[in-house]
Amino acid sequence: MRLAALAVGTAVALGGFAVAPATAADTVTTADAATLSGIVLGVGADESQRIVTWYSSADTAQVVQLVPTASLVDGAFPADAVTYAATGGANIATSGGYNRHAVLTGLQEDTAYSYRVGAEGGWSQAYSFRTQSFEGDYDFLFFGDPQIGASGDVAKDQAGWKDTLDVALAANPDSELLVSGGDQVETANTEAQWTAFLAPDKLRQYPWAATIGNHDVGGKAYEQHLYTPNTDRSAALYSNGNPTSNTSGGDYWYIYKDVLFIDLNSNSYATSQGGGGDDAHVAYVTDVVNAHGADAKYTVLVYHHAIYSAASHAKDSDNKARRVDFTTAFSDLGVDLVLQGHDHVYTRSYLIKNGAKADADEQPGAADVYAGPGGVLYVTADTASGSKYYDITAPDSSGTSGAGNGADPLDASRYWYNSVQNQEHVRTYVKVQVRNDQLVVENIRSGTCAAPNAAVELSKVSWCGPDSGASAAQPVGSVVDSVTVHPYHGDGQEIQVAVPEAAPGEFGWTIDGHNGLVDLGTAVEKDGTYFEAAGQLNAITVSDTRRSQAPWSISASVGDFRDASKTFPGSYLGWTPAVVQAGAGARAGGSIGSGFDGGTGLSVSSTLGYADQGHESGTAQLGAGLDLKIPSAVETGSYRATLTITALSS
């Protein structure tokens, strides 16, 4: 039996924030006659950055001015407000004017900020956003194809798009990212559509993580409006192989609170187009994961063309090609979740490994899925604006793996790869909850059959509601689908702990180094009656510089060991504490034997180390030898438990 990593963790629930509403002025004319428009807040390279992009009618020097909102004086920016110089260039002729962007760096966590763009004598109005804790759980929202203009009525499409953002963020105000599925607009260089897309003030309050769709690629407006971090604009990542042409492209990545996001220009998929095709994207993803994957707990890929969808594009030859080109690489690289758009329908795949269903026994609509080695979840989002819907199509006889579009053996009405397929002709969005050891993915209704719903209002579709219109529309905020993805941890078991920073003159503790896995290895059978494994706790550094010389203690307890539905009690774990490095008056706690020999083991909180009143100030290191004994009747598996560490001090 493999007993790999004992997880050491303190779960910390991190709260959200309330964003101050921004005024909806879309343009401002500055003192030097420059008109500023299209201001949008974008995602940065990490949680301490944001990118602001806008248009200017004049080629003048401009900046972003940023200040903590609390420092505003009667709404005015103080003289010491930080400024970030903007860069950019001339727009293409169909757009007119110039584009500007500035990267806001050095943001502090849990801080409300206000910003404005322009120059002295001509500023935009102020907008606000708030950072949250840079560690721990968080939510982000994923939006499929607003595609403003697709219905033929830009105003109706804009109304639906704005309403989805308002509904989603009213229900989830603490969400930290807005992630795009692509196709912001219907026609790449039609600025009236871009103006409508960028009109909602939520896009100036929450960071938009852009994705390029097939309707965005046909011009430079996408790149002009939506500057992205860490972007590789190599020729191979453009569909025509020419980044200087009148088209947009490139791939980019960023890390946000333990999630590595990689965003691909899926418009480039075949070398016959002129670019590097899917092979170039696979190479890019491989390089990014190799370089940065260890810095994150999860890897999420985002691109436009859904390879496991169920509507008009399900059988497209280009999507079949991607289905073959991408999936084995994504499984091998440990990708957890793939978010897609393009097909204007909601689908949630089974877990897919190497282009096939990972577990033939996974049931349709399962509420919990366990990734196993190489299992990847693929999600397609329906339209967030209601501008256009595609109806679900029927499987064919082309096969149930690889590029095939055959029927699911468990339900012949669905494609083999889809656990859930849904089309109601109502607006929806996808909420992703990033948690310590799971991703929760939900598809949520942001509208009903009533306006704003352009495709329904304009009779672009003949029915609306669940069951092809046979059932009444469900209310706004109701959940279409929900699944919890439990990631695969290999033969090891991860250790995680949230550690606060110790301020000068205070008591604090940290886990040394990178808090690597405490690997108990493979348990050894003893006397045919029990298994035994041993290891060493990662050293815990305690620092106490308080003048009070007050007593302190560090204790811990362990929960049950689990492997999916299998479990055994944490009481079977014992330890022998030790002072690894003397200081701060540290003394080792007493030894606790495995409960296998009688007693409660570490299932009850036990002292790792302590110091009495009047101890000297300084730093100490505490450690412990771990001893695990379990009955031989425990089922084979790779088990994980959480050791919760508690610090107490007067």
Side-chain angles (χ1 to χ4, degrees), residues 350 352 356-364 395-396 398-401 404-419 421:
Y350 291 113
I352 303 295
K357 187 177 179 183
D359 179 3
D361 294 328
E362 183 186 338
Q363 295 299 300
D396 56 28
S398 58
T400 55
S401 64
N405 286 97
D408 183 359
L410 301 178
D411 181 352
S413 68
R414 284 197 329 273
Y415 288 93
W416 66 266
Y417 42 73
N418 281 334
S419 173
Q421 301 178 168

Side-chain angles (χ1 to χ4, degrees), residues 71 164 292 336 539:
S71 298
T164 286
H292 305 286
D336 296 286

Side-chain angles (χ1 to χ4, degrees), residues 68 277 318 398 619 634:
D318 59 326
S398 58
T619 300
V634 170

